[in-house]
Amino acid sequence: MPDRTTQSWAELNVASPDDLAGLFQALAAELAADVAAAGEEAALRAVRDRWLGRKSGRLARIRDQWLAAAPREWKPAVGQLYNALARQAESEFARAQARFAAVQAQAMIVEDAVDTTLPGRAQPAGPAHPVLRILDRITDVFVRLGYSVATGPEIETAYYNFEALNIPADHPARDDQDTIYLAGAGEELLLRTHTSPVQIRAMQAQEPPLRIVAPGRVYRHDAPDASHSPMFHQIEGLAVDRDLTLGDLKGTLDHFARELFGAAATTRFRPSYFPFTEPSAEMDVSCILCHGAGCRACKQTGWIEILGCGMIHPALYRAVGYDAARWSGFAFGMGVERVAMLYYGVDDLQRFYSGDLRFLEQFAT
Ligand code: PHE
């Protein structure tokens, strides 16, 4: 079909209103057919340019040539028909455009759809570190006995780490060898060398009766090797009440050993010395590997030392303002890595800090 909009008004040969109406009807049908034939967005854009293009689109030509050139008496009719055709064009394009958008949206929904029947992707779960697992187990034994959990700062003052614990200034534990001091601090600050300062903080914070365990990190000036680390974990225990005796201390810790290592575990207490307890003792547990027969882990003795303990020294009660005549109590402290090594049969402390997942994943259950 020749494009009639390229013809001039004179070439159209319009002789009657019917001629004019027929002409516009044909154009409207052509427009509708053009839009219907556009199978994709790019084609629709081309059709739109052909009809609605600003300068050389068909509607622009009708307006600029026919409407301009038509004699006065024809102008109103041409103008009306032109407007109707322009409105039809706008609405046809808008409808077609909306149709394409809907199809595209549908396609995106299908493409992005989640197949809910697929099995989920398993994320590896990070289990707790073996040292922390043991720390939790130890804590739980005492929590079941009615102890609560207390904490204290890892950066301590010399007062809490030493003085209040009856450790005089010339005690070997104060050697620079053992203690990591923080330079430049006005007060004498250090990294706590044990969890015992939490004893003082707990007693300052509350009145007896008192039963707490204090798990946490401690630091010492030690080179790392199979049994040493500059950072390790301890758990402290403290009980203050009326009439607590060495028998209560032994009974509590013996119960703890059987809860952690099994009913067959036995304990023994050897006299020892700590400035903050009197009397003081070290507790051994029957070797969990050879059950007392003698092996490498227990150096053929059948016993493994696991903690220090004793009855609270009266100097501590004085430091916190407790009446030493009224209250008695006991304390204990143990190295958690040591217990973890025994418990899991690991012979090199450094493996716990290696970050080697092949090693650490063995303790996942
Ligand atoms: N604080 C001591 C240590 O680090 C252990 C201990 C705690 C001993 C409580 C007696 C009472 O070796």
Side-chain angles (χ1 to χ4, degrees):
M1 209 190 315
D3 180 2
R4 307 211 51 197
T5 64
T6 59
Q7 296 179 318
S8 70
W9 176 257
E11 284 168 325
L12 289 174
N13 251 330
V14 174
S16 67
D18 279 355
D19 283 353
L20 190 64
L23 173 63
F24 273 91
Q25 248 163 38
L27 287 168
E30 217 181 308
L31 168 67
D34 263 12
V35 171
E40 48 162 28
E41 262 196 302
L44 184 69
R45 270 198 302 276
V47 173
R48 193 189 162 86
D49 282 348
R50 188 151 68 239
W51 286 89
L52 291 172
R54 252 170 199 273
K55 285 210 180 98
S56 48
R58 290 180 175 180
L59 279 142
R61 281 204 299 266
I62 293 172
R63 184 190 61 223
D64 297 345
Q65 291 169 41
W66 298 356
L67 197 54
R72 276 195 87 187
E73 63 273 28
W74 285 100
K75 276 195 204 290
V78 176
Q80 253 170 33
L81 288 164
Y82 163 80
N83 283 338
L85 186 64
R87 271 201 305 277
Q88 181 198 337
E90 289 295 352
S91 76
E92 292 228 18
F93 284 118
R95 260 208 315 275
Q97 187 57 48
R99 229 171 21 239
F100 282 128
V103 167
Q104 211 174 50
Q106 187 59 36
M108 255 163 73
I109 288 168
V110 170
E111 206 175 293
D112 296 348
V114 173
D115 183 350
T116 55
T117 65
L118 284 175
R121 273 180 222 133
Q123 297 289 343
H129 190 280
V131 170
L132 292 185
R133 298 169 77 86
I134 292 297
L135 190 53
D136 279 350
R137 275 175 196 261
I138 297 172
T139 304
D140 283 351
V141 172
F142 290 99
V143 166
R144 286 198 295 274
L145 289 175
Y147 285 64
S148 47
V149 176
T151 55
E154 290 172 26
I155 295 175
E156 265 297 7
T157 60
Y159 176 76
Y160 282 104
N161 198 77
F162 295 129
E163 250 127 75
L165 287 164
N166 196 33
I167 304 176
D170 54 0
H171 194 277
R174 286 236 197 164
D175 272 7
D176 287 343
Q177 286 266 328
D178 297 328
T179 307
I180 299 172
Y181 287 93
L182 301 179
E187 209 174 356
E188 201 177 23
L189 292 181
L190 46 82
L191 296 180
R192 66 179 181 189
T193 57
H194 53 180
T195 43
S196 299
V198 185
Q199 287 188 37
I200 303 297
R201 290 182 177 277
M203 288 193 282
Q204 281 180 342
Q206 31 182 326
E207 290 295 313
L210 179 89
R211 283 173 176 73
I212 58 117
V213 281
R217 282 190 283 258
V218 301
Y219 302 83
R220 289 186 193 176
H221 209 289
D222 276 326
D225 66 21
S227 56
H228 293 87
S229 165
M231 185 284 294
F232 59 101
H233 296 77
Q234 282 191 340
I235 182 164
E236 192 84 8
L238 170 71
V240 182
D241 208 331
R242 279 180 212 285
D243 306 323
L244 284 180
T245 66
L246 196 58
D248 296 310
L249 165 61
K250 289 177 75 173
T252 301
L253 292 177
D254 187 66
H255 168 81
F256 156 72
R258 278 182 280 109
E259 285 284 294
L260 192 70
F261 295 114
T266 53
T267 55
R268 74 174 184 189
F269 291 79
R270 287 177 291 103
S272 185
Y273 170 76
F274 298 103
F276 33 92
T277 47
E278 181 59 35
S280 302
E282 268 160 336
M283 185 178 90
D284 298 340
V285 179
S286 53
C287 178
I288 60 167
L289 300 179
C290 66
H291 302 288
C295 70
R296 255 183 49 186
C298 60
K299 300 194 184 84
Q300 311 304 326
T301 64
W303 295 98
I304 291 180
E305 179 198 324
I306 67 158
L307 58 80
C309 58
M311 303 306 290
I312 310 288
H313 194 289
L316 274 66
Y317 294 139
R318 283 197 294 274
V320 301
Y322 280 7
D323 180 354
R326 203 160 152 221
W327 304 107
S328 63
F330 58 80
F332 53 89
M334 76 186 97
V336 181
E337 277 79 354
R338 221 183 130 69
V339 175
M341 284 169 78
L342 262 181
Y343 193 93
Y344 289 125
V346 171
D347 62 5
D348 182 355
L349 174 59
Q350 296 305 317
R351 310 212 64 174
F352 285 131
Y353 305 123
S354 66
D356 183 344
L357 286 180
R358 292 167 308 173
F359 170 77
L360 295 172
E361 276 168 355
Q362 300 176 86
F363 311 100
T365 52

